[in-house]
Amino acid sequence: MNGRLPFGPMVLTGNEAAALAFGLANPDAFGGYPITPSTEVTEEIAELALKHIIDTTYRNLDSELASIAFGIGVSTARGRYGTATSSQGLALMCELLHWASTARLPIVIANVNRSLGSPWSIHPDQSDSLLFRDMFLLQFYCKNVQEVLDMVLWAYRIAEGPGVSLPALVCFDGFMLSHTAENIIIPSKEKVLEFLPKRTPSENFNLPQYRADEPRNISCPTDWMKHQARKRSLVDAMQTAEGNIRHLVRREWTQIFGGAMQYEVNDGFFSEAGNSQSDTAVISMGAIAGTIEEATRGEDIGLISLRVFRPFPAKALHAKLVHCKKIVVFDRSILPSGEGIIANELRSRTALFPQQIYGFVGGFGGQNLSEKDFLHEIRTAMNSDHPEANTYWIGDKS
Amino acid sequence: MKPKDVTVGQFLDSRHALCPGCGSAAAMAHVLSIVSKPLPSGRTKKIRAVVFPASCWSIGSGASGESFLGVNLVNVPFIAASAVAEGISIMSEREGRGEEELTIAWAGDGSSFDIGMGLLSGAASRNADILYVINDNQIYGNTGAQESGATPEGARTTTSVEGKEGIQKDIVSIMMAHSIPYFASAVLSPTTLTDFYEKVATAADMRGFRCLHLLSVCPPGWKCPTDSAPELGELAVSTRIFPLVEIKNGTLRLTHPKRVKPVEEFLKYQGRFSYLMSDEARLNSVKEKIERKWKYLSKLEEL
């Protein structure tokens, strides 16, 4: 890097793209704590800050707990904050992440998806971020390196939006995206600033402006009615976020960045490939979508790759899938019920998704998922009579 | 700064929910009053926020968004006060008000000696620009007097009903090992008032990580009368149970009591020490450790 952020076409890894995106978002502070496979994001930001290429205040912190606590301070004091982590680190943040969400602090965390122990594994697995699916956190998932960069910008914009003010996770698969270089286009700093101006903090949740007369007591106890209203407002905030994403994609993103980086299809909530008129749709999330795309090339199957998981785009998905008879879901996560998490999300909304849902799980602990495996497993499962009762473990020879 | 220069009271609304005789409530009123006055350098600072981890202050400092202390308060989880305060101070600095604004973390001994020690160590090692106050009542007071790392050996708590078996963590040495710009232990009592005021004013006036270790009498936890805080504070110092230390730029200074009193003078007023007082061997062991600690600090003072 020679004094300024790069701009235009480049070949970058997911971690480098995330770091650049943070650089473009220009947070007031960034907290660093290393963990494989997200470490390079932190290293890059540390260097950008040290060389004054960005004016972010960078701090080497002593744990992910310190990182999220530091972020709570920066964000409460009206600043923009970012950090990057993975698996164990995200899990360690749990208490304070819940606090940050219910205190309505729009912190953005890049989470490189990695297995959450035990046993130790550094391979991709979405169980880490999906562990937080019941928190009021926005969650974005990336299919390729370009999306890593773009979703960090979306995350700040949506998280800081009026009526939202919630933290956001930008998730991308360890190694498959974090360490894989791809061609991407880096937007100019000016355009990013147009899309993502300086944060305007919500006056309800932050320290008052300097010189404000009335002192505040932030997050102190209150009566049950106010407490309950605040809980409800979290649900409203999630719904507002859903509307804001639609608006953002339809208008501003496309207007500002033009044709090069388009997400208009399905209002940006998910991407599509294959035959969208097919009776059968395959849903996945993250980098695996590319493999599934290759596996089913030429087959009569529609493919959907979720980009926004929280808020869950149930309505948009319903509209897309309403004509389908069979839905095949691939999850890189597993629940105590024996289901993958996306399968569970669909099955819990039977009014919207009454179809037969075939759940696949796999790719854990470094399992290499090939195109051949996918096609074989999908075809085998499609001939099964009882999809609801089964979760198909890919590569399970038993 | 002299005690007579400060009018205390404007910072503690009578609706506060702390217990009668609470040492922390009194100390809070004094500290906020002191730091709001012109400081020794002539500079006046504005308190950007006081950060409270889970503590008696979480429920005692206000309600429904109202502050009973006249300054901005930020409540955070038990473990987080030091790093949250650091984040707030970073924003003051970035907005060009680092010199005029003061961020205070007011954390108990449970938060500082135990659950938050990792983060406290981190903020201290980064020389975060905050005033970190350890409000030490030697127990988990808000949950009803359980044993903490600051509980003295032999003191009874609800989780050590025959007196604490383990050691009391040496927070002075721990903080000293972090080479922070300023550390001081202080007690709010009639005989130590000037010492208290000078230390608070000095700490508030400086930049970087300043730590004040305040011994706060807790009548329900210590099983002592509600009007005993001033006297017990004085006795904690004169028995050398709570040495008054000041470490500035690496140099340690002890405030020597005018007349040293026997340890029992401090212990006998408090129900929590009844077991210890009736066990001579154990009492002697505790007294020996107090003596040794004083000698250790005196040696450091000579360096």
Side-chain angles (χ1 to χ4, degrees), chain B residues 14-221:
Chain B
S14 59
R15 290 173 293 166
H16 79 79
L18 276 78
C19 300
C22 173
S24 181
M28 177 67 80
H30 281 264
V31 168
L32 294 182
S33 303
I34 296 164
V35 303
S36 302
K37 285 274 175 188
L39 297 166
S41 64
R43 199 184 295 128
T44 303
K45 291 196 180 179
K46 185 184 162 94
I47 296 168
R48 181 67 177 123
V50 178
V51 179
F52 289 129
S55 72
C56 299
W57 288 103
S58 313
I59 49 168
S61 67
S64 294
E66 188 184 355
S67 167
F68 290 167
L69 299 180
V71 296
N72 289 318
L73 308 175
V74 177
N75 293 277
V76 296
F78 216 172
I79 201 165
S82 52
V84 171
E86 182 179 2
I88 294 171
S89 78
I90 290 271
M91 286 308 293
S92 292
E93 181 68 29
R94 285 183 64 85
E95 289 165 1
R97 299 193 299 272
E99 283 295 328
E100 55 183 297
E101 285 188 358
L102 177 66
T103 302
I104 301 174
W106 188 284
D109 49 295
S111 181
S112 309
F113 286 56
D114 297 340
I115 190 169
M117 178 164 269
L119 269 66
L120 170 59
S121 169
S125 69
R126 288 186 296 275
N127 198 24
D129 187 20
I130 63 172
L131 173 56
Y132 188 96
V133 180
I134 304 173
N135 170 62
D136 182 3
N137 61 10
Q138 306 189 323
I139 38 164
Y140 288 91
N142 193 33
T143 43
Q146 292 75 37
E147 180 182 307
S148 81
T151 302
E153 222 174 312
R156 194 175 66 205
T157 73
T158 61
T159 50
S160 41
V161 290
E162 293 187 348
K164 184 180 183 180
E165 294 284 346
I167 55 104
Q168 178 186 45
K169 290 188 194 174
D170 178 1
I171 198 75
V172 179
S173 297
I174 292 169
M175 295 317 296
M176 190 161 59
H178 284 80
S179 303
I180 53 177
Y182 191 75
F183 174 91
S185 39
V187 170
L188 190 66
S189 86
T191 52
T192 57
L193 205 56
T194 304
D195 181 80
F196 184 95
Y197 270 61
E198 283 173 357
K199 285 172 174 171
V200 173
T202 304
D205 209 7
M206 294 172 77
R207 298 289 304 271
F209 196 91
R210 303 85 92 196
C211 181
L212 287 171
H213 179 208
L214 310 181
L215 184 71
S216 283
V217 177
C218 174

Side-chain angles (χ1 to χ4, degrees), chain A residues 27-29 55-57 59-63 65-66 69-70 72-74 76-80 95-96 99 207-212 214-223 226, chain B residues 46 48-49 58-59 61-68 70-80 83-88 90-91 94-95 97 100-101 118-119 121-123 126:
Chain A
D28 288 286
D55 84 331
T56 299
T57 302
R59 284 288 179 275
N60 283 321
L61 297 165
D62 38 290
S63 67
L65 272 175
F70 180 56
I72 287 173
V74 170
T76 302
R78 316 171 72 84
R80 181 176 286 168
E95 184 202 9
L96 298 182
W99 191 275
L207 277 173
Q209 295 269 17
Y210 178 63
R211 296 197 187 286
E214 193 68 19
R216 295 277 304 278
N217 194 344
I218 292 168
S219 293
C220 76
T222 180
D223 63 55
K226 282 189 183 124
Chain B
K46 185 184 162 94
R48 181 67 177 123
S58 313
I59 49 168
S61 67
S64 294
E66 188 184 355
S67 167
F68 290 167
V71 296
N72 289 318
L73 308 175
V74 177
N75 293 277
V76 296
F78 216 172
I79 201 165
V84 171
E86 182 179 2
I88 294 171
I90 290 271
M91 286 308 293
R94 285 183 64 85
E95 289 165 1
R97 299 193 299 272
E100 55 183 297
E101 285 188 358
L119 269 66
S121 169
R126 288 186 296 275

Side-chain angles (χ1 to χ4, degrees), chain A residues 139-366:
Chain A
Q139 293 201 31
F140 300 88
Y141 287 80
C142 310
K143 191 170 77 166
N144 53 43
V145 173
Q146 182 73 58
E147 289 195 8
V148 172
L149 189 146
D150 297 347
M151 288 310 112
V152 170
L153 305 179
W154 282 33
Y156 273 114
R157 179 64 200 275
I158 301 296
E160 293 175 0
V164 180
S165 212
L166 289 172
L169 301 180
V170 177
C171 306
F172 49 104
D173 295 291
F175 301 104
M176 290 165 69
L177 284 182
S178 65
H179 289 68
T180 304
E182 293 177 4
N183 285 311
I184 72 161
I185 296 168
I186 303 159
S188 72
K189 222 178 157 179
E190 294 69 33
K191 287 202 166 179
V192 170
L193 191 64
E194 195 184 333
F195 174 73
L196 183 67
K198 200 171 151 54
R199 177 183 169 206
T200 309
S202 161
E203 292 304 328
N204 293 328
F205 309 114
N206 294 275
L207 277 173
Q209 295 269 17
Y210 178 63
R211 296 197 187 286
D213 292 332
E214 193 68 19
R216 295 277 304 278
N217 194 344
I218 292 168
S219 293
C220 76
T222 180
D223 63 55
W224 74 264
M225 282 177 289
K226 282 189 183 124
H227 191 107
Q228 187 150 305
R230 203 163 149 159
K231 282 240 185 253
R232 264 186 117 129
S233 75
L234 288 162
V235 180
D236 298 340
M238 270 288 173
Q239 282 169 3
T240 304
E242 195 174 340
N244 287 1
I245 291 169
R246 194 170 284 125
H247 176 84
L248 169 95
V249 171
R250 281 190 189 165
R251 290 160 184 263
E252 291 173 61
W253 182 271
T254 310
Q255 278 168 16
I256 295 170
F257 297 106
M261 292 178 254
Q262 297 226 355
Y263 292 97
E264 292 122 322
V265 184
N266 305 307
D267 293 333
F269 291 120
F270 45 87
S271 63
E272 265 185 74
N275 177 14
S276 63
Q277 304 305 313
S278 170
D279 285 351
T280 305
V282 179
I283 303 180
S284 66
M285 192 161 79
I288 201 70
T291 309
I292 298 175
E293 216 168 290
E294 287 301 318
T296 58
R297 195 176 291 277
E299 300 279 324
D300 181 24
I301 293 174
L303 304 179
I304 284 174
S305 173
L306 281 180
R307 195 179 284 126
V308 182
F309 179 78
R310 282 284 179 273
F312 193 75
K315 280 180 219 149
L317 270 178
H318 167 73
K320 183 55 60 181
L321 296 171
V322 69
H323 70 278
C324 289
K325 294 191 173 60
K326 287 183 176 175
I327 300 175
V328 178
V329 179
F330 174 74
D331 273 298
R332 207 185 267 274
S333 62
I334 186 73
L335 287 171
S337 64
E339 302 168 287
I341 285 178
I342 303 168
N344 175 267
E345 291 280 340
L346 296 178
R347 285 174 185 155
S348 70
R349 296 171 172 90
T350 47
L352 292 176
F353 308 104
Q355 298 96 331
Q356 292 185 316
I357 293 171
Y358 294 76
F360 286 83
V361 297
F364 301 122

